[in-house]
Amino acid sequence: MTASSAELFGEERVAARLARQERFLSAGGPQLVVLLDESAIRSVVGGPRVMMRQMQHLLRVAQRGNIVIQVVPFAARATIINTSMVLLEMPDGQHLVYSESLDRGSPSDDPTIVSGHRRRYDRLRGDALTAGESLALIAEALEGFRDDAERARRGQLAQEQLQRYERRRLHRGGPRIPRPRPRT
């Protein structure tokens, strides 16, 4: 796969994910219960401002009636699931599981596989914080990222001020060298 085709494939995947997301955000969207590992809200990806926007988005979508977000805290890691999975209950009552790895997604309607994933999911949900506690933790993380962004902004301003100070000390392209003045 060439770089341009890989980029196009990546763009198509992003577009498909955004289209799926829009389905849940539309009026009367299906029920969505999301279990997030605490590392998803604590690990900084893209810097504090990006993380602030991510936390704001989570808090905003969690206000919708059909979306529940629960965080599984670091301390409650009795059940570990090493892959992303989606449990689906179709309108006709059929149950499916879709699990993802880095390379591919794998759907299954095999009752044995679906029930195994459902048991792991149920144990993990039992370890998760309540929806209210989860939103409080996300809001706390948001404030931490705001503080980090402010510190970074102040650090950048301090660096700019230091650079201005250093530039002022330069004289006609070279450093100012104090010279003794003759006394008369």
Side-chain angles (χ1 to χ4, degrees), residues 37 67 89 148 160:
D37 190 81
I67 298 176
E89 182 177 343
D148 291 348
E160 289 171 8

Side-chain angles (χ1 to χ4, degrees), residues 117-176:
H117 278 75
R118 170 120 248 136
R119 279 192 304 277
R120 285 191 291 279
Y121 170 82
D122 289 342
R123 284 194 306 265
L124 190 61
R125 189 155 186 206
D127 293 340
L129 300 174
T130 67
E133 293 167 337
S134 296
L135 294 181
L137 188 65
I138 293 168
E140 174 191 311
L142 171 61
E143 288 308 311
F145 292 126
R146 276 192 180 127
D147 293 345
D148 291 348
E150 181 60 25
R151 275 193 293 281
R153 188 187 69 75
R154 278 184 282 176
Q156 185 177 5
L157 286 174
Q159 185 64 32
E160 289 171 8
Q161 289 172 346
L162 178 63
Q163 289 171 357
R164 273 189 238 126
Y165 172 75
E166 292 296 325
R167 280 196 305 269
R168 279 190 222 120
R169 292 184 57 204
L170 295 177
H171 182 66
R172 293 187 188 145
R176 267 192 198 164

Side-chain angles (χ1 to χ4, degrees), residues 93-110:
Q94 181 186 14
H95 290 89
L96 304 165
V97 65
Y98 177 81
S99 59
E100 267 184 3
S101 68
L102 288 175
D103 300 327
R104 71 181 85 168
S106 173
S108 178
D109 61 355
D110 180 326

Side-chain angles (χ1 to χ4, degrees), residues 4-78:
S4 61
S5 63
E7 187 175 295
L8 180 60
F9 180 68
E11 289 174 9
E12 289 174 357
R13 289 175 66 186
V14 169
R17 284 178 187 246
L18 289 174
R20 285 194 306 263
Q21 181 183 51
E22 196 57 43
R23 175 73 177 99
F24 290 100
L25 299 176
S26 65
Q31 178 76 26
L32 174 65
V33 178
V34 178
L35 298 182
L36 285 178
D37 190 81
E38 186 174 356
S39 64
I41 65 169
R42 299 287 186 198
S43 299
V44 179
V45 177
R49 289 185 184 182
V50 169
M51 294 304 294
M52 278 175 44
R53 287 193 301 272
Q54 293 292 324
M55 297 306 110
Q56 290 166 339
H57 177 71
L58 288 174
L59 291 170
R60 195 171 36 254
V61 299
Q63 300 306 311
R64 304 188 65 80
N66 63 317
I67 298 176
V68 176
I69 298 175
Q70 289 181 267
V71 176
V72 180
F74 291 128
R77 287 192 171 166

